[in-house]
Amino acid sequence: MKNPYFGRILTAMVTPMNEDGSVNFTALGDLAEWLIANGSDGLVVCGTTGESPTLTTEEKLEMFRTVVKRINKRVPVIAGTGSYNTAASIEMSMQAEKIGVDGLLVVGPYYNKPPQEGFYGHFKAIADSTKLPMIIYNVPPRTSSNILPATVARLAKDCPNIVAIKEAAGNVAQVAELYSLLPKDFSIYSGDDVLILPFMSVGATGLISVLSNIGGQMLQDLMQAFEAGKVKEAMDINTKMLPLAHAMFVTTNPIPVKESVSLVTPIKAGPVRLPLVKMSVEEHQQVAQVLKEYDLIKH
């Protein structure tokens, strides 16, 4: 099994929308094309950055179909199919497999705050329902619960198709513990752009990225430099990258990055859906200024 399993950088795609708030499926396909031409090794459809909590089941399935058809196996397409409902997550995963996605991203159940045994049962039930390779997504800042490394190691042992974790607890020590417990071909993906360099230093081999919606090549350069042993070069690229990455979080993700996609790429990403709202004038100016400093705004 290769490591990283799906490629070095997977972009958590924003979901382009029309002005009336409906999904713009044509723009979604166009964005997928742009991303794989600009640093992305794979695509995550209907992740948090894609506003998955406010997408309907029908919209998600059509988004999977759109990207799978447009990309046509050129890079892996990973479907976000997880929720706090195990049965619904199983059904969504089975439907995604029928559509032809290459893998699943399954978030830890949020709001119901399961104990570790509940996490184990949830992920194992989903893994048992599909032949697709699966990424566990640990994001305590959004779910309020932490999937412990010992639980991940148990799942990796018992479920051959659980091949990776997206680790977004923001804890370097936890990544180091994961690396010490997991098989060496199990892929640890950072879920935070700003932590990719320290995470790689203790065992991460991939990144599931927000920033790569507009700045994937910079992240590729950083990770490739580190892999080649050019640590000082990687540090310098990281220093350059940080202000841009921080700008994508001046308010709740994906609000800034979605607006940035419209400024940087040929694709009009459109509005966000309530309960998210567009950036304030001050936030827009702040983000636009950073994009100008990086010479990213399209002319």
Side-chain angles (χ1 to χ4, degrees):
M1 192 163 70
K2 61 181 179 176
N3 189 0
Y5 190 91
F6 292 106
R8 188 181 291 108
I9 294 179
L10 311 179
T11 297
M13 294 179 66
V14 302
T15 298
M17 293 179 182
N18 299 303
E19 288 306 312
D20 64 1
S22 60
V23 175
N24 186 334
F25 293 102
T26 300
L28 178 71
D30 292 343
L31 178 60
E33 289 279 7
W34 190 89
L35 290 171
I36 65 174
N38 288 274
S40 296
D41 298 316
L43 304 172
V44 175
V45 184
C46 298
T48 311
T49 304
E51 298 176 76
S52 57
T54 57
L55 295 170
T56 67
T57 297
E58 292 73 21
E59 286 173 328
K60 290 178 181 179
L61 294 175
E62 187 58 29
M63 288 171 66
F64 300 156
R65 291 187 195 98
T66 298
V67 178
V68 164
K69 182 177 180 181
R70 186 70 173 266
I71 296 308
N72 193 26
K73 297 296 181 182
R74 284 176 288 160
V75 302
V77 176
I78 295 92
T81 58
S83 71
Y84 53 31
N85 182 326
T86 305
S89 301
I90 289 171
E91 178 61 27
M92 181 64 77
S93 298
M94 292 170 65
Q95 291 294 323
E97 182 172 8
K98 289 178 182 176
I99 286 169
V101 303
D102 301 290
L104 306 174
L105 178 71
V106 180
V107 69
Y110 40 91
Y111 193 74
N112 40 19
K113 298 178 68 174
Q116 295 303 306
E117 191 64 28
F119 280 129
Y120 176 83
H122 176 79
F123 288 114
K124 187 175 188 306
I126 297 167
D128 287 348
S129 75
T130 177
K131 295 179 181 177
L132 288 174
M134 189 168 119
I135 306 171
I136 293 170
Y137 180 16
N138 186 36
V139 58
R142 284 186 182 267
T143 65
S144 76
S145 296
N146 186 29
I147 308 166
L148 296 180
T151 303
V152 179
R154 185 180 168 202
L155 285 161
K157 180 176 181 291
D158 294 347
C159 306
N161 60 328
I162 295 182
V163 299
I165 182 169
K166 177 184 178 183
E167 181 52 68
N171 187 333
V172 176
Q174 184 154 300
V175 174
E177 186 176 357
L178 283 166
Y179 183 73
S180 73
L181 294 176
L182 291 164
K184 295 312 174 193
D185 59 357
F186 193 95
S187 300
I188 301 172
Y189 284 91
S190 172
D192 296 289
D193 294 307
V194 298
L195 293 176
I196 182 55
L197 188 55
F199 276 20
M200 288 185 78
S201 74
V202 294
T205 57
L207 171 65
I208 298 181
S209 174
V210 172
L211 179 58
S212 59
N213 277 280
I214 61 166
Q217 194 56 54
M218 186 185 302
L219 292 164
Q220 276 283 2
D221 293 344
L222 187 164
M223 296 181 71
Q224 290 182 36
F226 185 86
E227 289 171 0
K230 301 175 182 177
V231 178
K232 178 63 165 59
E233 181 180 331
M235 290 166 58
D236 291 342
I237 299 171
N238 188 67
T239 299
K240 179 183 177 184
M241 176 270 293
L242 286 176
L244 185 61
H246 285 307
M248 297 302 101
F249 290 87
V250 297
T251 185
T252 303
N253 177 55
I255 298 169
V257 72
K258 192 169 189 181
E259 188 161 331
S260 297
V261 166
S262 295
L263 294 171
V264 172
T265 79
I267 291 89
K268 295 220 175 278
V272 290
R273 280 183 179 174
L274 287 169
L276 301 182
V277 294
K278 67 180 182 180
M279 288 190 288
S280 68
V281 173
E282 293 78 12
E283 289 164 346
H284 174 85
Q285 291 173 341
Q286 183 180 345
V287 171
Q289 181 59 40
V290 173
L291 295 176
K292 287 176 184 175
E293 290 170 2
Y294 283 77
D295 196 30
L296 286 174
I297 295 180
K298 61 180 184 283
H299 303 291

